[in-house]
Amino acid sequence: MMGFAGMPLPIPLPVSCHNCTEGFVLATFEYRCPSCGCVHAVTPCHAFDPDNVVSVGVDY
Ligand SMILES: [Zn+2]
């Protein structure tokens, strides 16, 4: 999961936080929920599918 975390997504994904359900737009491959700080990540091969966004955890 290293090396692409800060790269912008080809298309920003609207997602709901897996931790606090706050809605936000995932703009990079790794993105921190603005509400609770839970980090979410998506792999480049699944960058177009919100179902493949995973939460890594708060303060990861
Ligand atoms: Zn959250």
Side-chain angles (χ1 to χ4, degrees):
M1 295 296 283
M2 305 310 283
F4 57 83
M7 289 171 53
L9 287 178
I11 300 173
L13 287 176
V15 297
S16 294
C17 178
H18 296 190
N19 188 49
C20 70
T21 71
E22 176 83 6
F24 63 94
V25 176
L26 193 79
T28 57
F29 284 104
E30 201 175 283
Y31 198 79
R32 191 178 296 267
C33 172
S35 179
C36 72
C38 185
V39 174
H40 293 65
V42 64
T43 52
C45 53
H46 292 123
F48 298 95
D49 189 351
D51 287 343
N52 285 294
V53 175
V54 297
S55 56
V56 182
V58 178
D59 290 331
Y60 159 74

